[in-house]
C-alpha cells in the first residue's frame, strides 16, 4: 500500500491554472508536512524560469533531460529557507505535453534525489529512523489532465517508484496548530591564534561553538536547549588550541512551527520547534555570510569595530490557512523587495500590509581589538555609522555553496551541544 497525500484544494486549482504557453514542460515544488499515516500538501510553487532556458523549452519535442537540475535544486534550497518548523519540500510536480507523458520518470528521479541531498547538506539535524523518507513526484498531462502520483524512498538510492494516492480536501490547514517561542542566544566562538589573520571567508569556515540558549513561550517557560553533561569517565577527543580572538553571537530570535491537527503528538511539536530554532539561526548566519563573502571589504589593520545589519524574520500568511511562510529582511531592504522575493520564490502575490515583522531591527558588531573579534545580535541602540549590507535572496546557482560549509561548521556545535531529537 502506497502513501496517501491529502492536498489542499487551492493547490489543485493552482496546478490547473498553470499554462505551458508553448513550453514542453513546467516543474515545481510541493510543500507540506509528513506524518506517520499520511502526508499533507498545502502549497505548490513552480520553479522560476531562467532566461536562457526560455527558448530551449518552447520546442514541443524538447526532452526532459533538458531539465536544469542545478537550477531546480537551488530553488528548493531557497524555498526551504522560507519554511517555518514542521514544513518541508515533500517532492516535485511536473506538467508536460502529451508527447512527454511517458518521458519524465528518470529525469525527475534524479532531480528528487539531488534536491534531498542538497537540502540535507544544509540541515543541522537529521531525520530519525521513524520518520517518513518517501518523496513524491506528481505528473500532470496538460491536455488530458491525467494525474500520476509516485514516491521514492530517498534513503535508498536504488529504490523504485511506488504508486501513491492523491486526494484533495478543502480547508486542510485552517486548523493547524501554531507553536511560537522566542530564543535568547549567547554563543561564544573562539578563534585560533592563526585564524585571526585569515580573511573573512576563511574565518567563517573555521568556527566551533559553545554557548547558552533558552527558549520561552508566551504561556510558560520551557528549556529546550541544555548544557551537554559529560560523565566523569568520559574521554574527550577535543584538541586544545591557543585562541587569540573570538566571535560572539547574542540576541533574541523569534521561532515558529506548525503541526497538523490530526491527532498530533507532543514529541512531534517539540521536534518541529527545535528544528525551526536550528534552521532560523543557521539561515541568518548563512545569509549574512553570503553577503559578506560577496562584498568583503579589504582587511583593516588594528580596526576597532565594524557594524553590520543582521536580517530579521518576516512572516506572511497563506490565504485560507493558519500557516505563515517566512523570509529574512535586512534593515535597508524595502517591503517591496520582500514582496517581490515572495513572488519570485513562491509564485504568490503578497500584500505589503500582510507582512509581519517578527523582530525589531537589530545590529551585528564585528570588532577586532587586541586581536579579538565579536559578532553580536542585540537589541541595543544602533551604532552611529553602521556599515549597511544588502542582499536580495534571488536564486543563485553557486552562492549557496560559498557559505554552506561555513554555516554548517559554524552551527554544528549548536546541534551537537544543545539539541537531540
Amino acid at each position: 500500500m502506497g502513501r496517501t497525500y491529502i492536498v489542499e484544494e487551492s493547490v489543485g486549482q493552482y496546478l490547473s491554472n498553470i499554462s505551458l504557453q508553448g513550453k514542453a514542460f513546467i516543474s515545481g515544488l510541493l510543500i507540506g508536512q509528513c506524518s506517520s499515516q499520511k502526508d499533507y500538501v498545502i502549497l505548490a510553487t513552480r520553479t522560476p524560469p531562467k532566461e536562457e532556458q526560455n527558448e530551449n523549452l518552447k520546442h514541443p519535442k524538447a526532452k526532459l533531460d533538458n531539465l536544469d537540475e542545478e537550477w531546480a535544486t537551488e530553488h528548493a534550497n531557497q524555498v526551504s529557507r522560507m519554511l517555518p518548523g514542521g514544513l518541508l519540500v515533500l517532492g516535485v510536480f511536473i506538467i508536460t505535453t502529451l508527447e512527454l507523458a511517458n518521458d519524465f520518470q528518470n529525469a525527475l528521479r534524479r532531480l528528487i534525489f539531488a534536491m534531498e541531498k542538497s537540502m540535507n547538506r544544509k540541515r543541522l539535524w537529521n531525520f530519525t529512523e521513524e520518520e517518513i523518507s518517501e518523496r513524491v513526484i506528481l505528473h500532470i498531462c496538460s491536455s488530458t489532465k491525467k494525474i500520476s502520483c509516485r514516491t521514492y524512498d530517498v534513503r535508498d538510492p536504488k529504490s523504485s517508484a511506488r504508486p501513491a494516492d492523491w486526494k484533495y480536501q478543502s480547508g486542510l490547514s485552517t486548523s493547524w496548530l501554531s507553536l511560537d517561542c522566542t530564543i535568547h542566544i549567547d554563543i561564544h566562538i573562539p578563534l585560533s591564534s592563526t585564524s585571526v589573520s585569515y580573511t573573512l571567508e576563511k574565518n567563517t569556515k573555521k568556527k566551533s561553538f559553545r554557548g547558552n540558549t533558552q527558549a520561552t513561550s508566551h504561556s510558560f517557560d520551557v528549556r529546550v536547549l541544555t548544557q551537554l553533561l559529560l560523565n566523569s569517565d568520559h574521554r574527550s577527543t577535543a584538541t586544545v588550541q591557543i585562541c587569540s580572538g573570538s566571535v560572539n553571537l547574542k540576541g533574541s530570535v523569534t521561532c515558529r512551527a506548525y503541526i497538523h491537527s490530526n491527532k498530533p503528538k507532543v514529541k512531534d511539536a517539540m521536534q518541529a520547534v527545535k528544528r525551526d530554532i536550528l534552521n532560523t539561526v543557521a539561515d541568518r548566519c548563512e545569509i549574512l555570510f553570503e553577503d559578506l563573502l560577496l562584498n568583503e571589504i579589504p582587511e583593516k589593520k588594528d580596526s576597532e569595530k565594524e557594524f553590520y545589519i543582521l536580517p530579521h524574520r518576516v512572516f506572511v500568511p497563506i490565504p485560507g490557512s493558519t500557516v505563515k511562510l517566512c523570509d529574512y529582511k535586512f534593515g535597508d531592504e524595502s517591503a517591496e523587495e520582500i514582496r517581490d522575493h515572495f513572488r519570485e520564490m513562491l509564485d504568490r502575490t503578497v500584500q505589503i500590509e500582510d507582512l509581519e515583522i517578527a523582530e525589531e531591527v537589530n545590529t551585528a558588531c564585528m570588532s577586532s581589538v587586541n586581536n579579538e573579534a565579536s559578532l553580536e545580535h542585540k537589541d541595543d541602540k544602533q551604532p552611529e555609522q553602521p556599515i549597511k549590507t544588502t542582499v536580495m535572496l534571488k536564486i543563485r546557482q553557486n552562492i549557496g555553496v560559498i557559505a554552506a560549509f561555513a554555516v554548517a561548521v559554524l552551527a554544528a556545535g549548536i546541534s551537537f551541544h544543545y539539541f537531540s531529537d
Side-chain angles (χ1 to χ4, degrees):
M1 188 68 179
R3 298 286 296 171
T4 297
Y5 288 85
I6 308 300
V7 187
E8 174 62 55
E9 280 189 346
S10 61
V11 172
Q13 187 63 44
Y14 173 81
L15 295 174
S16 65
N17 289 339
I18 294 179
S19 174
L20 292 181
Q21 296 180 339
K23 298 178 182 178
F25 63 88
I26 289 178
S27 63
L29 306 175
L30 299 170
I31 298 164
Q33 187 171 105
C34 293
S35 73
S36 58
Q37 297 181 339
K38 59 190 69 174
D39 293 346
Y40 304 94
V41 179
I42 65 172
L43 197 67
T45 178
R46 75 177 83 188
T47 302
K50 292 173 64 177
E51 292 183 1
E52 57 267 31
Q53 281 184 332
N54 290 341
E55 292 301 322
N56 295 334
L57 297 184
K58 285 182 179 179
H59 197 283
K61 294 184 179 180
K63 297 294 184 181
L64 284 181
D65 287 339
N66 293 334
L67 179 65
D68 194 326
E69 186 177 296
E70 187 178 2
W71 181 259
T73 297
E74 183 57 31
H75 179 232
N77 286 329
Q78 292 287 328
V79 168
S80 65
R81 275 181 176 175
M82 306 174 76
L83 304 181
L87 297 186
L88 297 170
V89 175
L90 296 182
V92 298
F93 72 83
I94 188 162
I95 302 173
T96 72
T97 60
L98 182 60
E99 292 82 358
L100 292 179
N102 298 316
D103 189 27
F104 65 92
Q105 285 295 330
N106 290 335
L108 292 187
R109 187 184 188 280
R110 292 194 304 269
L111 175 61
I112 204 167
F113 275 87
M115 281 184 177
E116 194 66 24
K117 182 178 180 180
S118 179
M119 288 185 289
N120 272 332
R121 280 200 302 264
K122 291 178 175 293
R123 292 188 184 114
L124 303 180
W125 45 268
N126 296 318
F127 289 103
T128 63
E129 290 297 327
E130 296 77 19
E131 289 185 86
I132 303 301
S133 57
E134 291 186 63
R135 297 295 179 261
V136 64
I137 291 176
L138 179 72
H139 173 255
I140 302 175
C141 178
S142 61
S143 56
T144 66
K145 303 301 179 182
K146 182 181 178 180
I147 290 179
S148 172
C149 185
R150 301 183 182 185
T151 63
Y152 288 93
D153 185 350
V154 291
R155 286 180 182 161
D156 181 9
K158 297 180 180 181
S159 67
S160 57
R162 299 181 60 191
D165 292 330
W166 187 264
K167 299 180 179 180
Y168 288 108
Q169 177 180 320
S170 62
L172 174 62
S173 57
T174 55
S175 59
W176 279 25
L177 305 178
S178 175
L179 310 167
D180 301 87
C181 69
T182 298
I183 297 297
H184 305 284
I185 61 175
D186 185 356
I187 303 170
H188 177 73
I189 310 160
L191 300 176
S192 67
S193 57
T194 55
S195 66
V196 293
S197 60
Y198 291 167
T199 63
L200 174 64
E201 180 173 2
K202 289 185 178 180
N203 266 325
T204 56
K205 293 181 180 180
K206 297 177 70 66
K207 308 287 188 207
S208 60
F209 247 123
R210 297 193 77 80
N212 293 318
T213 57
Q214 179 178 349
T216 59
S217 72
H218 294 298
S219 57
F220 56 88
D221 292 339
V222 53
R223 189 176 293 270
V224 297
L225 313 178
T226 58
Q227 196 79 0
L228 181 66
L229 300 178
L230 300 178
N231 297 328
S232 58
D233 58 347
H234 177 82
R235 297 185 64 182
S236 174
T237 59
T239 302
V240 178
Q241 291 182 323
I242 300 175
C243 295
S244 300
S246 65
V247 175
N248 295 299
L249 182 63
K250 300 179 181 179
S252 299
V253 178
T254 297
C255 304
R256 185 171 297 177
Y258 295 93
I259 191 167
H260 62 83
S261 54
N262 184 20
K263 299 179 180 179
K265 298 179 180 179
V266 173
K267 68 173 184 177
D268 295 331
M270 291 187 64
Q271 183 182 79
V273 173
K274 286 182 178 182
R275 290 176 176 178
D276 187 65
I277 295 169
L278 281 173
N279 290 342
T280 189
V281 173
D283 288 342
R284 291 163 197 263
C285 293
E286 184 175 34
I287 292 168
L288 180 62
F289 289 160
E290 285 178 357
D291 192 64
L292 293 179
L293 292 176
L294 284 175
N295 304 284
E296 185 170 355
I297 300 173
E299 294 290 324
K300 296 181 179 180
K301 299 295 183 180
D302 301 324
S303 60
E304 293 186 357
K305 290 186 178 182
E306 298 175 4
F307 292 92
Y308 300 92
I309 304 296
L310 280 178
H312 54 280
R313 212 169 191 183
V314 180
F315 289 97
V316 65
I318 299 177
S321 172
T322 60
V323 177
K324 294 184 178 182
L325 304 173
C326 72
D327 202 356
Y328 296 94
K329 176 182 180 296
F330 281 101
D332 52 1
E333 280 188 286
S334 66
E336 287 76 13
E337 289 176 299
I338 299 301
R339 178 195 59 192
D340 293 343
H341 188 236
F342 271 107
R343 182 188 298 119
E344 182 182 17
M345 293 294 102
L346 299 173
D347 197 24
R348 290 292 187 279
T349 300
V350 174
Q351 302 301 321
I352 292 180
E353 56 269 23
D354 290 335
L355 295 178
E356 173 195 341
I357 299 178
E359 300 146 344
E360 297 298 325
V361 176
N362 299 303
T363 60
C365 172
M366 182 79 75
S367 65
S368 179
V369 181
N370 296 326
N371 290 329
E372 293 188 358
S374 66
L375 175 63
E376 297 183 358
H377 186 146
K378 57 187 180 180
D379 297 326
D380 299 338
K381 184 178 179 181
Q382 293 189 27
E384 292 183 3
Q385 294 182 331
I387 297 177
K388 295 184 178 181
T389 60
T390 62
V391 60
M392 272 297 290
L393 298 178
K394 296 182 181 297
I395 298 179
R396 305 185 186 98
Q397 287 180 278
N398 300 313
I399 184 58
V401 179
I402 298 176
F405 180 74
V407 176
V409 176
L410 175 81
I414 297 182
S415 178
F416 179 78
H417 288 293
Y418 304 114
F419 291 88
S420 67
D421 287 326

